[in-house]
Amino acid sequence: MDAKAPAAQPALRRLRGAPLRRARPVPRGRAGGLLFQWGQYHSTSDFGQTFDLHQPFASRCYALLTTCSRVDVRSALAVSSRGPSSFTINRDDTIDGSYPFYWIAIGDAGSPALTDPRQASLGADSTILWGDATSTSDDDQTFTTPVALGAGPSAALTTVVKADVRSALSLTSFDGPGRKLIVNRHNDIDGSVGFNYVGIGARTGATSTGIQRLGDFKLQWGLPTSDSDQEQLFMLPEAFADMNFAVITTIASANHNQGLSLSRPVNARSFIVNRDASIDGARQ
C-alpha cells in the first residue's frame, strides 16, 4: 500500500508503543466504505504493548495484520486485541529485544456504510474480504470465506490473535473462487489458536491483475517464492509513488510455524526478504 502522501503502566502490564517514524502525509486511504492504514512500529515488551492507529476508525477495526521487519526472524507477533483507535501486541516471552514490524489495519470509514461487514468492493474490479476464525487442528483445516472471488491472482494473509504465541499460522492454499482458506499449522502448536485473516482478488466475474488503484493509494498482491536464507529481492508488480508503503507476508506452505521476515524496502518497486535459517527449500 502507499499513500500520496504515555508512560508505562506496569500494574496493567500495558505499554504504549511509539512509531519508528511518522511518514508525511499520514499513510492511509479510503475506498469501498473502508479506511486503510499502515506503518511501522517497534515491539519492545513481552507484555501487552499498545500502538495507536494514525486515525480512529468510525466504529471497528476489521483486520490488523503484522510482519516482522528484521533480518533472520522466525517469530510472529500476536495481535491480542484491536480497537477503533489502537491495537495491542502481546508477543511470546521467548522473543527478546526490539522487533520492528510492519502493520496494516482495515476498518470502517463511516460513509458509505457497508452492506456486509465481512467484505467490500474496491473500485470496479476487486473485492477484499476478512474475518476471524480459530485453528484447532494440526491437519488441513478449511475455513469458508465470506464471498467468492473472481479469476486471476488472489492472496490471503493471517495474523495470530492469541496472546503470547510465537508461531505463525501457515496456509496450505487459498481458493478465492471456491471460498476456501485452508490452514495447516505446525505440529508444535497445541490447542485452539484464534487468527484474523484478509483475502483479496478480483470481484466475481472479473479477472485480477494483482493491482488495484484506488485514487491516491493502491493495493498490490501476489504469490512469489522464497528459496534462500540470504537476502532475496522481490519486485512488486508496479512501482509505488514513493517509499511510503508496507509489505505483509504469510507462508503458503503446510506445517510451518515461521513467519517470513522482511529486511527492508529497497525502492518504490521492491523489497527484501531475509528469512530465518530454519526455513528450508522453496516456500511461497
Side-chain angles (χ1 to χ4, degrees):
M1 296 183 179
D2 77 333
K4 304 226 181 251
Q9 304 173 55
L12 297 177
R13 293 187 174 182
R14 183 177 173 94
L15 303 174
R16 186 160 295 276
L20 293 179
R21 57 186 178 272
R22 175 60 58 86
R24 294 184 179 178
V26 174
R28 64 190 176 201
R30 294 171 181 261
L34 299 173
L35 173 63
F36 295 80
Q37 305 183 54
W38 58 95
Q40 190 179 35
Y41 283 122
H42 262 151
S43 167
T44 58
S45 171
D46 293 340
F47 301 123
Q49 186 174 10
T50 299
F51 300 88
D52 291 328
L53 298 171
H54 302 312
Q55 175 181 330
F57 293 116
S59 63
R60 290 180 58 191
C61 178
Y62 295 128
L64 197 297
L65 303 170
T66 64
T67 289
C68 283
S69 54
R70 196 175 86 171
V71 172
D72 198 26
V73 168
R74 63 168 290 274
S75 302
L77 291 177
V79 179
S80 57
S81 67
R82 64 184 191 271
S85 60
S86 65
F87 62 95
T88 299
I89 297 288
N90 194 321
R91 69 189 198 187
D92 187 79
D93 295 343
T94 59
I95 299 175
D96 298 318
S98 179
Y99 268 51
F101 66 94
Y102 289 109
W103 59 272
I104 292 177
I106 303 169
D108 60 328
S111 178
L114 295 177
T115 56
D116 182 351
R118 299 174 302 159
Q119 61 93 14
S121 296
L122 300 176
D125 301 320
S126 301
T127 294
I128 190 167
L129 56 89
W130 59 88
D132 292 286
T134 301
S135 166
T136 57
S137 171
D138 295 342
D139 299 318
D140 277 0
Q141 187 172 6
T142 301
F143 300 88
T144 302
T145 59
V147 66
L149 300 178
S154 60
L157 301 161
T158 64
T159 290
V160 170
V161 299
K162 183 177 180 179
D164 203 29
V165 171
R166 184 176 186 177
S167 297
L169 287 181
S170 57
L171 301 177
T172 300
S173 64
F174 174 53
D175 177 5
R179 299 180 61 191
K180 294 180 180 179
L181 177 71
I182 302 178
V183 171
N184 190 314
R185 70 191 197 185
H186 194 270
N187 296 332
D188 70 359
I189 302 176
D190 298 318
S192 298
V193 177
F195 66 96
N196 185 219
Y197 70 87
V198 171
I200 190 169
R203 63 171 175 78
T204 302
T207 300
S208 163
T209 62
I211 304 171
Q212 179 62 60
R213 301 171 188 85
L214 297 163
D216 59 354
F217 79 109
K218 63 185 168 187
L219 306 175
Q220 303 190 59
W221 57 92
L223 190 65
T225 299
S226 165
D227 56 15
S228 172
D229 293 341
Q230 307 301 315
E231 286 195 338
Q232 188 172 8
L233 179 71
F234 293 91
M235 301 299 293
L236 296 164
E238 184 175 279
F240 286 122
D242 51 37
M243 296 292 288
N244 184 12
F245 65 91
V247 178
I248 305 294
T249 64
T250 291
I251 291 182
S253 183
N255 199 31
H256 278 73
N257 62 1
Q258 302 99 331
L260 196 63
S261 58
L262 275 68
S263 296
R264 62 189 184 278
V266 175
N267 54 45
R269 196 177 178 177
S270 64
F271 61 94
I272 287 179
V273 166
N274 192 317
R275 70 188 197 186
D276 187 77
S278 64
I279 302 175
D280 297 318
R283 295 289 181 261
Q284 292 184 310

